Amino acid sequence: MEKFIVDGPAKLIGHVMIAGAKNVALKALVASLLTDEDIIIKNVPHIRDVHLMLEVLGHLGKHAALTGSTVTITKNSSHTCTVPLEVGARLRTSSMVLGPLLSRYGKAIIPNPGGCRIGARPIDRHIDGLKAMGASISYTSDDGYFHAEAKELHGAEITFEKNTHTGTETILLAAILAKGTTTLHNAAEEVEVDNLIDLLQHMGAHIKRTGKREIVIEGVSSLHSAEFEIMPDRNEEVTFAVAAIASTGDITVHNSRRQYLGAFLEALTKAGGGYEAIDAESTRYFYKEALTAVDVTTEIYPGFMTDWQAPWALLMTQAKGESVVHETVFENRFTYVEELKKMGARITYFDPDIKNPEEFYNFNWNDRPVDTHQAIRITGPTNLHNAVLSINDLRAGATLLLATIIGSGKSYLYGIEQVDRGYEHIEKRLCALGAHIDRVTEDAIS
Ligand code: EPZ
């Protein structure tokens, strides 16, 4: 295992290329299971989760070659329908192979993706949708696997009780080769879902958005080869934007998709952060003036995304006044707060008075552990100082890395494999902007 040793403070200045979107790349790789023909996916980020997904495809009869940022997926051997427990437990999205395996082979055995550090993250909405299409799925806790079977997946009318990004994608991946028409109501509208739909259409799928939060899929008998470039990562862009402004620096982001960052750019402007459109695919983020506190509430697309709330909270530690971050999508997404408080951040927890929390929050209300809260209050500005920090999840990890860059002194960050899950060569790119980060083995003394 490795750790980061970071010397702060540092001002981050320069240019950075945004990598391909993790939350499209993983599903694009799953989509390759829908055909025996070759699939070429471009702009795939070199991140741990992608390497794990390539391992999953290897177990399912595919050969995947990653050259640069292009993955070429070909049929390797006879298919199997089981995702091994060890790799499935390390990659939640491996459960999404359910749809393609059931529609092509009528069988799938996948590990329970289970919770992770940001909440229970069950897949009940995915399972309910697949059952409506004719699948029988049971979970046997004695082996930790979901056992799924379907004589023939058929089209269905499915309404999600609450938004689910990967749930929407799981049903899309199942409906494409199912018999008949599937109509999805209350379907997710995140732009990453649209990018996956674009790929599937390139492969010959008949899918279209027919209204607000509604998608219709006409089942087809087979799909064909395709070559496709995935969109850049919105979460990376927000991370580098916060890095620029929190470090009082100036970073021009290339492969920018600011048209999908509306809620973030609105909050950033209100807080006094600077950004400038350089051209259609480049945006300059820069420290303009002393920041002022701005409240955010996370929401489904096109609202302020839950993946952006941790970096935003860090930015608010540098803003004058008191700000609130209200997390409504996941039930335990403040794992970074205690770590920021070790650096001197002034943050308290509270629960906003919500009339009907069961409906209001996106997670299943009963999944909520008793000792968590849905909001934090941040008082700033605070000069953060060095600390020894532990990383619990991906976006928290990126946030804590940025905190040690803007904080004064030498900091030590453990659990950095979490950051590697979703950020390509993160320390190389940050050091090129002026950060001082060393990646060393955990037991190295320095
Ligand atoms: C996707 O997670 C993303 N992950 C998340 O990014 C992102 O934060 C989230 O969507 C919201 O946009 C990938 O695409 C791989 P949900 P997902 O299904 O699909 C609960 C990152 O850092 N729920 O929209 O899992 C769920 O627990 C990650 O890149 C159920 O209870 O999110 C959550 O509280 C983090 N049952 C809420 O609903 C279900 O069957 C929203 O989940 C499904 C979801």
Side-chain angles (χ1 to χ4, degrees), residues 27 66 68 100 109 144 198 217 241 247 257 287 301 318 350 399 408:
K27 293 64 169 280
L66 180 56
I109 301 173
D198 199 7
I217 307 106
S247 70
R257 289 297 182 275
Y287 180 82
Y301 192 81
Q318 305 306 301
F350 73 102
T399 297
S408 57

Side-chain angles (χ1 to χ4, degrees), residues 3-58:
K3 67 187 174 194
F4 282 147
I5 300 176
V6 185
D7 274 311
K11 193 186 283 273
L12 300 179
I13 294 175
H15 293 249
V16 69
M17 302 292 285
I18 296 300
K22 166 180 89 77
N23 292 342
V24 178
L26 296 174
K27 293 64 169 280
L29 297 176
V30 172
S32 70
L33 292 166
L34 289 164
T35 178
D36 286 344
E37 296 191 19
D38 295 358
I39 297 292
I40 297 174
I41 307 289
K42 295 183 172 175
N43 199 28
V44 175
H46 278 258
I47 54 175
R48 199 160 153 266
D49 279 8
V50 162
H51 296 302
L52 280 171
M53 185 60 86
L54 296 181
E55 206 180 310
V56 170
L57 295 184

Side-chain angles (χ1 to χ4, degrees), residues 68-88:
S69 61
T70 299
V71 177
T72 304
I73 302 158
T74 52
K75 183 169 170 49
N76 181 27
S77 60
S78 59
H79 74 273
T80 72
C81 294
T82 302
V83 174
L85 194 63
E86 199 266 340
V87 68

Side-chain angles (χ1 to χ4, degrees), residues 220-238:
V220 294
S221 54
S222 65
L223 295 183
H224 51 70
S225 63
E227 190 166 321
F228 185 79
E229 180 166 333
I230 63 172
M231 68 182 280
D233 194 307
R234 290 193 294 154
N235 293 331
E236 261 211 356
E237 179 162 354
V238 166

Side-chain angles (χ1 to χ4, degrees), residues 22-23 26-27 92-93 118 121-126 163-167 190 235 305-307 329-331 333 362-364 367 394-395:
K22 166 180 89 77
N23 292 342
L26 296 174
K27 293 64 169 280
R92 277 185 46 75
T93 27
I118 60 178
R121 299 190 75 181
I123 56 169
D124 51 304
R125 297 169 204 168
H126 307 227
N163 190 65
T164 171
H165 180 153
T166 50
E190 275 71 15
N235 293 331
M305 202 174 171
T306 173
D307 295 348
V329 175
F330 290 99
E331 73 272 17
R333 206 162 193 188
N362 192 188
F363 53 84
N364 298 337
D367 284 339
L394 166 55
R395 304 304 165 186

Side-chain angles (χ1 to χ4, degrees), residues 139-358:
Y139 175 62
T140 48
S141 55
D142 55 353
D143 70 358
Y145 280 93
F146 279 105
H147 294 263
E149 284 184 356
K151 277 199 184 47
E152 181 182 64
L153 282 187
H154 55 72
E157 190 96 20
I158 297 167
T159 300
F160 287 118
E161 43 145 354
K162 290 185 179 180
N163 190 65
T164 171
H165 180 153
T166 50
T168 299
E169 295 168 330
T170 292
I171 301 305
L172 290 185
L173 290 163
I176 290 167
L177 298 177
K179 199 153 184 60
T181 302
T182 298
T183 303
L184 257 185
H185 301 287
N186 198 25
E189 294 190 322
E190 275 71 15
V191 284
E192 289 76 16
V193 178
D194 288 331
N195 206 221
L196 176 64
I197 289 173
D198 199 7
L199 162 62
L200 294 167
Q201 288 169 337
H202 275 71
M203 293 170 66
H206 294 176
I207 303 181
K208 59 181 184 297
R209 283 192 183 274
T210 47
K212 182 133 182 61
R213 302 183 66 77
E214 185 178 279
I215 301 174
V216 173
I217 307 106
E218 304 288 346
V220 294
S221 54
S222 65
L223 295 183
H224 51 70
S225 63
E227 190 166 321
F228 185 79
E229 180 166 333
I230 63 172
M231 68 182 280
D233 194 307
R234 290 193 294 154
N235 293 331
E236 261 211 356
E237 179 162 354
V238 166
T239 304
F240 280 104
V242 166
I245 297 158
S247 70
T248 67
D250 185 328
I251 299 176
T252 297
V253 159
H254 300 283
N255 297 337
S256 166
R257 289 297 182 275
R258 58 179 176 273
Q259 65 270 37
Y260 300 133
L261 304 181
F264 169 73
L265 296 175
E266 189 185 331
L268 185 68
T269 304
K270 267 170 76 178
Y275 79 93
E276 177 193 354
I278 302 297
D279 60 34
E281 299 202 341
S282 302
T283 305
R284 176 179 163 243
Y285 295 97
F286 56 96
Y287 180 82
K288 190 171 68 168
E289 59 195 358
L291 297 172
T292 49
V294 168
D295 297 349
V296 294
T297 296
T298 65
E299 292 172 51
I300 59 178
Y301 192 81
F304 193 98
M305 202 174 171
T306 173
D307 295 348
W308 304 338
Q309 61 100 330
W312 183 262
L314 170 66
L315 196 65
M316 289 300 101
T317 65
Q318 305 306 301
K320 186 172 178 345
E322 189 174 89
S323 57
V324 166
V325 174
H326 183 190
E327 170 58 56
T328 73
V329 175
F330 290 99
E331 73 272 17
N332 187 21
R333 206 162 193 188
F334 291 125
T335 60
Y336 60 90
V337 170
E338 289 310 304
E339 301 305 301
L340 283 182
K341 287 164 73 175
K342 288 181 190 170
M343 301 181 77
R346 291 171 283 162
I347 305 177
T348 56
Y349 303 92
F350 73 102
D351 282 301
D353 179 17
I354 300 293
K355 294 230 172 349
N356 54 350
E358 292 82 355

